[in-house]
Amino acid sequence: MACKAQTVLFKEYVEVGEVPPDNFQLRTIDLPALKDGEVLLELQYLSVDPYMRGRMRNAAGYFVGPFVPGEALSGGGVVVVKESKAPGIEKGKFYSGMVPWTSPQIATKAQMEQMQPVDTDILKLAKLPLSGYAGVFGLTGMTAYASLTRIGKPKKGETVFVSGAAGAVGMIVGQMCKNVYGCKVVGSAGSEDKVEFLTKELGFDAAWNYKTMPTLDALNKFCPEGIDMYYENVGGEQLEAALEKCRENARIVCCGMISQYNKKGDDRYGVKNLANVVFKKIKMEGFLLFQFLPEVVPEFFEHFPKWIAEGKIKDTEYVVKGGLANAGQAFCDMMAGKNKGKAVVKCVDKDPIVGN
Amino acid sequence: MACKAQTVLFKEYVEVGEVPPDNFQLRTIDLPALKDGEVLLELQYLSVDPYMRGRMRNAAGYFVGPFVPGEALSGGGVVVVKESKAPGIEKGKFYSGMVPWTSPQIATKAQMEQMQPVDTDILKLAKLPLSGYAGVFGLTGMTAYASLTRIGKPKKGETVFVSGAAGAVGMIVGQMCKNVYGCKVVGSAGSEDKVEFLTKELGFDAAWNYKTMPTLDALNKFCPEGIDMYYENVGGEQLEAALEKCRENARIVCCGMISQYNKKGDDRYGVKNLANVVFKKIKMEGFLLFQFLPEVVPEFFEHFPKWIAEGKIKDTEYVVKGGLANAGQAFCDMMAGKNKGKAVVKCVDKDPIVGN
């Protein structure tokens, strides 16, 4: 039987500056009847992430392709199967992966095979809500895990600087480096509250507010010995300072450069000390989680639930309620740094795992 | 018996700007008598290279350490054994490696073990003078070989951009990419004469004069399909343009950034598009030949003589006569881009292999 669905359409490209909340347009649409081999999914949680800003620019060749004006946005999320005409996919099961901002939505069996079945036992073991699969057990956690194990390769006793450390990926990276690898870990964030969160709650060795303390001053103060790895989420002045303090053979893991995403042309920050890449034999590498999939998945699920259960990695979420109606605003707030921890949009009234 | 020697002393650090020729001071010194276990060496050729500019700045932690004011400079070179009190090291044999700018000079057996014995048969096979060991068969050739095989890994059919392409390393890299790996190769240089040399003599698919053609215009014209590898010798505007034209998974092999070596602070070029490293999954890596030694040496000597004999790699030298007295000026000329090909200083009247 056909039904109505809610969807959020991408209005238009925004080349420069902040994307306004009204660039996300909530609409009601008609869904066709479910065909054989299809399933009907309902959104439970959506993930809003900085990389999505790049998809809001009309940049040919951008890594996952730009959004299409007038069509639904998409991103990481968790869904439940409401109805199934696809053999092997059971009603009531949860899945996580890349999904359109539409609920309910129809997916084919082939699309479902690209998604990760949610293991509710893992969530219970880790005492996490279902939203864990939109963050620490989803693309966010895998991004941290894959980039550290494949690119950064931190070693015991090394000094690691994480920018955007109170953000979704930064928070996990910092804790992994500290509690799994045994590194000294310092981080930058955009408020005093986040700085306290990093040092008091997550165990960072030091943290600072980049809005009031220049990064180079902070690194000179907290890492006089230099840094062995820089986990890059911010770019610009923080990258320049990191290059200055890198030791020989340092690695720069380029996960994101959020400070540059709203800028264009001369407005962007010019990094002047790249000769350090030569002088110090620095390896600087960008990546996309998908290049490490699917091989990273089983490994990730072998380690992460244990690390969470052992308290080595604490999950912190910034939950925006109200589902699709508030998803655009949630993205804008995340870009403005309002989130502490992983920003997720809650599309259900009560979490089906923890019940609140 | 004690003897006199000529040496070139490093006068003082030059933090910014061109190093003046009078910063290299020719002096006559007394050498002590040769002791057991020592050899007396005479310089045959010296290599002058851009990386030496970095050693002329008082930069703690610089990769091979700064020169010491009042002490002799050092660099790549070829020597002959004039006298030996070290078992196993024969008078009349040639060696290449890192040597002080002093002739004659005393070396210990341990120091000799860090050097490469010259295989004169290889030179004859390749029809090269002894200076080949200060260039194509020395640190220069090994730098090109090691960085391409370990970092750049060019693949058949890829498009490669080499900056400073008429320089010592660039010239070899371009020919290797073109004639060994089967890539499309384009390059920048600093004069019309060098551009002609690259396309007419070395077989580059395209080349341009960066002084009259902005790099981005050149890349748009000659590589509309984008580039898969950028071999970086220059930095600044050329790096920025390369980042713009990089395709997904491109590699940037950072051998040098000569455009930035004479500059400091705000005078340096600010690269504004580093977010491409994230978007395009770019790997950018600095290196120092020594990190690949000694493992790369046998491999290198297995391939290079053959490639030269087959005409896949042509050697071109910019030879400055007059030995140590002209070595400082030779460095300055090389930094100003006067050389086409490898800049070497000839310290003998006649080359002992080819006789002229």
Side-chain angles (χ1 to χ4, degrees):
Chain A
M1 200 186 74
C3 67
K4 299 273 178 197
Q6 276 203 313
T7 190
V8 179
L9 305 182
F10 176 64
K11 184 176 160 197
E12 61 191 359
Y13 291 120
V14 181
E15 298 300 326
V16 187
E18 290 174 18
V19 176
D22 71 0
N23 206 50
F24 303 84
Q25 304 187 309
L26 188 70
R27 294 286 181 269
T28 300
I29 57 168
D30 291 309
L31 284 190
L34 210 59
K35 285 183 258 174
D36 281 343
E38 289 181 341
V39 294
L40 188 71
L41 306 174
E42 197 178 75
L43 288 177
Q44 307 286 288
Y45 287 97
L46 282 176
S47 173
V48 285
D49 299 285
Y51 81 90
M52 296 170 74
R53 177 64 185 88
R55 304 187 68 188
M56 297 176 192
R57 198 172 283 130
N58 190 9
Y62 190 82
F63 62 80
V64 264
F67 291 120
V68 179
E71 295 192 7
L73 287 108
S74 60
V78 184
V79 295
V80 68
V81 179
K82 291 300 280 184
E83 206 183 321
S84 174
K85 292 193 170 183
I89 300 178
E90 280 173 54
K91 185 174 167 176
K93 291 282 181 191
F94 300 102
Y95 286 82
S96 74
M98 292 295 282
V99 289
W101 284 20
T102 304
S103 191
Q105 59 181 260
I106 293 171
T108 62
K109 177 131 204 232
Q111 287 168 330
M112 293 307 288
E113 280 162 4
Q114 298 300 310
M115 300 189 75
Q116 180 70 27
V118 168
D119 182 338
T120 51
D121 289 340
I122 282 187
L123 290 172
K124 285 168 191 163
L125 177 74
K127 297 191 179 102
L128 288 179
L130 182 62
S131 50
Y133 267 85
V136 72
F137 280 146
L139 304 181
T140 311
M142 282 185 213
T143 295
Y145 180 85
S147 57
L148 284 183
T149 54
R150 269 64 178 170
I151 302 175
K153 297 174 186 162
K155 292 183 241 351
K156 191 173 158 71
E158 287 191 331
T159 298
V160 175
F161 162 37
V162 184
S163 61
V169 175
M171 163 183 89
I172 298 174
V173 164
Q175 293 180 89
M176 271 184 74
C177 288
K178 180 80 196 161
N179 302 324
V180 175
Y181 291 105
C183 300
K184 169 175 170 178
V185 179
V186 304
S188 62
S191 73
E192 298 306 324
D193 178 47
K194 289 179 183 177
V195 167
E196 201 174 302
F197 164 68
L198 292 172
T199 54
K200 302 270 169 66
E201 290 180 48
L202 299 189
F204 276 55
D205 293 283
W208 63 92
N209 181 349
Y210 72 85
K211 290 177 181 165
T212 56
M213 190 171 197
T215 311
L216 190 56
D217 291 354
L219 291 175
N220 278 330
K221 181 174 175 186
F222 298 123
C223 308
E225 74 283 8
I227 59 176
D228 300 290
M229 190 178 105
Y230 170 44
Y231 200 93
E232 168 70 299
N233 289 307
V234 174
E237 178 255 352
Q238 301 204 34
L239 172 57
E240 192 167 70
L243 282 164
E244 209 60 34
K245 292 299 288 179
C246 270
R247 292 155 60 111
E248 274 193 52
N249 304 312
R251 289 86 64 200
I252 300 181
V253 184
C254 296
C255 179
M257 296 197 189
I258 197 171
S259 72
Q260 306 299 298
Y261 292 171
N262 283 338
K263 296 177 179 174
K264 228 189 159 182
D266 277 349
D267 194 30
R268 298 169 301 176
Y269 189 93
V271 175
K272 296 196 166 182
N273 61 350
L274 284 160
N276 282 304
V277 172
V278 178
F279 300 156
K280 299 174 183 169
K281 298 179 271 169
I282 292 169
K283 187 166 121 181
M284 186 168 168
E285 194 167 342
F287 70 97
L288 183 62
L289 172 61
F290 299 99
Q291 79 196 67
F292 303 116
L293 297 180
E295 69 159 59
V296 86
V297 176
E299 223 181 287
F300 170 80
F301 280 108
E302 185 192 325
H303 294 299
F304 252 62
K306 196 166 42 103
W307 292 342
I308 293 185
E310 291 169 356
K312 286 183 176 164
I313 294 174
K314 290 178 196 161
D315 190 34
T316 301
E317 290 179 344
Y318 172 83
V319 181
V320 175
K321 293 180 184 171
L324 288 174
N326 290 342
Q329 185 66 52
F331 172 81
C332 298
D333 289 351
M334 180 277 306
M335 284 298 289
K338 293 198 183 164
N339 60 309
K340 191 170 72 186
K342 178 71 194 97
V344 293
V345 180
K346 194 172 186 175
C347 306
V348 286
D349 288 337
K350 290 191 172 188
D351 184 277
I353 306 292
V354 299
N356 62 19
Chain B
M1 202 186 74
C3 67
K4 299 276 177 194
Q6 277 203 311
T7 191
V8 179
L9 305 181
F10 176 64
K11 186 176 158 195
E12 62 191 359
Y13 292 120
V14 180
E15 297 300 326
V16 187
E18 291 175 16
V19 176
D22 71 0
N23 206 50
F24 302 85
Q25 304 187 309
L26 187 70
R27 293 287 181 270
T28 301
I29 56 168
D30 291 307
L31 285 191
L34 210 61
K35 286 183 253 172
D36 281 342
E38 290 181 341
V39 293
L40 188 72
L41 306 173
E42 198 178 73
L43 289 177
Q44 308 286 288
Y45 287 98
L46 283 175
S47 172
V48 286
D49 299 284
Y51 80 90
M52 297 170 73
R53 178 64 185 90
R55 304 186 68 188
M56 298 177 191
R57 200 172 282 130
N58 190 10
Y62 190 82
F63 61 79
V64 263
F67 291 120
V68 179
E71 295 192 7
L73 288 107
S74 59
V78 185
V79 294
V80 67
V81 180
K82 292 300 280 183
E83 207 184 318
S84 173
K85 290 191 170 183
I89 301 178
E90 279 173 56
K91 184 173 168 176
K93 291 281 181 193
F94 300 103
Y95 286 82
S96 75
M98 292 295 282
V99 289
W101 284 20
T102 305
S103 190
Q105 59 180 260
I106 292 170
T108 62
K109 178 128 204 234
Q111 287 167 330
M112 293 307 289
E113 279 161 5
Q114 299 299 312
M115 300 189 76
Q116 180 71 25
V118 168
D119 183 337
T120 51
D121 290 339
I122 282 187
L123 290 172
K124 285 169 192 163
L125 177 75
K127 297 191 180 102
L128 288 179
L130 182 62
S131 49
Y133 267 85
V136 71
F137 281 146
L139 304 180
T140 312
M142 283 184 212
T143 297
Y145 180 85
S147 58
L148 284 183
T149 54
R150 270 61 180 173
I151 302 174
K153 297 175 187 162
K155 292 184 242 347
K156 192 175 158 69
E158 287 191 332
T159 297
V160 175
F161 163 37
V162 184
S163 60
V169 176
M171 165 183 86
I172 298 174
V173 163
Q175 293 181 89
M176 272 184 73
C177 289
K178 180 78 197 161
N179 301 324
V180 176
Y181 291 106
C183 301
K184 169 175 170 178
V185 179
V186 305
S188 63
S191 72
E192 298 304 325
D193 178 48
K194 289 178 182 176
V195 166
E196 201 175 300
F197 163 69
L198 292 171
T199 52
K200 301 271 169 67
E201 290 180 48
L202 300 189
F204 275 57
D205 293 284
W208 63 92
N209 181 349
Y210 72 85
K211 290 176 181 166
T212 56
M213 190 171 197
T215 311
L216 190 56
D217 292 352
L219 290 175
N220 279 330
K221 180 175 174 185
F222 299 122
C223 309
E225 74 283 8
I227 59 177
D228 301 290
M229 190 179 106
Y230 170 45
Y231 199 94
E232 167 70 299
N233 289 307
V234 174
E237 177 254 354
Q238 301 205 33
L239 172 56
E240 192 166 70
L243 282 163
E244 208 60 34
K245 291 300 288 180
C246 270
R247 292 154 60 110
E248 273 194 51
N249 303 311
R251 291 85 63 202
I252 299 182
V253 184
C254 296
C255 179
M257 297 196 188
I258 197 171
S259 72
Q260 306 299 298
Y261 291 171
N262 283 338
K263 296 176 180 172
K264 228 188 159 183
D266 278 349
D267 193 30
R268 297 169 301 175
Y269 190 93
V271 174
K272 296 195 165 179
N273 60 350
L274 284 159
N276 281 303
V277 173
V278 178
F279 299 157
K280 299 175 183 169
K281 299 180 269 168
I282 292 171
K283 187 165 120 180
M284 187 169 168
E285 193 167 344
F287 71 97
L288 183 61
L289 172 61
F290 300 99
Q291 80 196 66
F292 303 116
L293 297 180
E295 69 160 58
V296 86
V297 176
E299 222 182 288
F300 171 78
F301 281 108
E302 186 191 322
H303 294 298
F304 252 62
K306 195 164 42 100
W307 291 342
I308 292 186
E310 292 168 356
K312 285 183 176 164
I313 293 174
K314 290 179 198 162
D315 190 34
T316 301
E317 290 181 342
Y318 171 83
V319 181
V320 175
K321 294 179 183 171
L324 288 174
N326 291 342
Q329 185 65 53
F331 172 81
C332 298
D333 289 350
M334 179 277 307
M335 284 299 289
K338 294 200 181 161
N339 60 308
K340 190 169 72 187
K342 177 72 193 100
V344 293
V345 180
K346 193 171 187 176
C347 306
V348 287
D349 288 337
K350 290 190 173 188
D351 184 277
I353 305 293
V354 298
N356 62 19

